[in-house]
Amino acid sequence: IFFKGKFTDSWNKVDCDIYVFFGLSKYSSDLVSWCKENNKISIFFIGSDNDINEKYKRNNNNLNAKHVSYKDCLNCLINSNYLIVQTQYQQKELYKLYNRKSLLLRNPIEKIKLLKRQRKHILWVGKDDDVKNPLLVFKIAKLFPYELFLMVINNFSEINEIPKNVKIIKFINNIQ
């Protein structure tokens, strides 16, 4: 077992028939490998368009934006029993790049325009990384100076100029 890690004992004890995971990570890659070796079903929910990339190759140890090796990303994409995507674009890319079929489950939250109505605040929850882009909240807050923005975020690296209408209500160390 090339992935023998701290979680394999837990997976053996739980002994589920189906293992479902979201987004690319070393953990996800190890789980896919363990499922394959133990004849368990793995279902991978593609988290974003960034989870599908033509650069993901077997012998490539480069890291993606989430600091996951390309070969671990590839392992999730080619060895998961089932893949679930949120958009037709993701579905087409998976098939084009990896010859993998997937189930399309659209995100149930539709994009809406800011309505002219009374509201308490606009909430943003996430982690400080390139994918979540917390600095964008500051730019949006400057465009809507009469709206209150609340942020829940882990360690924030660039916290110098916080707009007056942005309040960071709590730092959480391990937003996953």
Side-chain angles (χ1 to χ4, degrees), residues 3-4 27 37 39 41 62-63 67 74 103-104 148 150:
F3 58 87
K4 185 69 175 170
Y27 174 89
E37 183 164 306
N39 297 314
I41 296 171
N62 288 341
L63 302 177
H67 305 288
L74 180 66
L103 174 65
L104 175 61
L148 173 62
L150 300 178

Side-chain angles (χ1 to χ4, degrees), residues 55-66:
K55 294 179 183 177
Y56 297 157
K57 304 287 184 200
R58 220 174 266 292
N59 294 320
N60 191 335
N61 285 320
N62 288 341
L63 302 177
N64 69 6
K66 296 179 186 176

Side-chain angles (χ1 to χ4, degrees), residues 92-108:
K92 288 175 185 176
E93 286 297 295
L94 267 176
Y95 191 77
K96 180 177 88 176
L97 296 173
Y98 303 105
N99 199 31
R100 291 294 315 265
K101 292 184 179 179
S102 58
L103 174 65
L104 175 61
L105 288 180
R106 294 190 187 280
N107 191 335

Side-chain angles (χ1 to χ4, degrees), residues 73-89:
C73 296
L74 180 66
N75 184 45
C76 291
L77 294 170
I78 64 173
N79 289 315
S80 295
N81 295 99
Y82 300 99
L83 299 167
I84 298 178
V85 297
Q86 300 174 48
T87 65
Q88 285 182 321
Y89 171 80

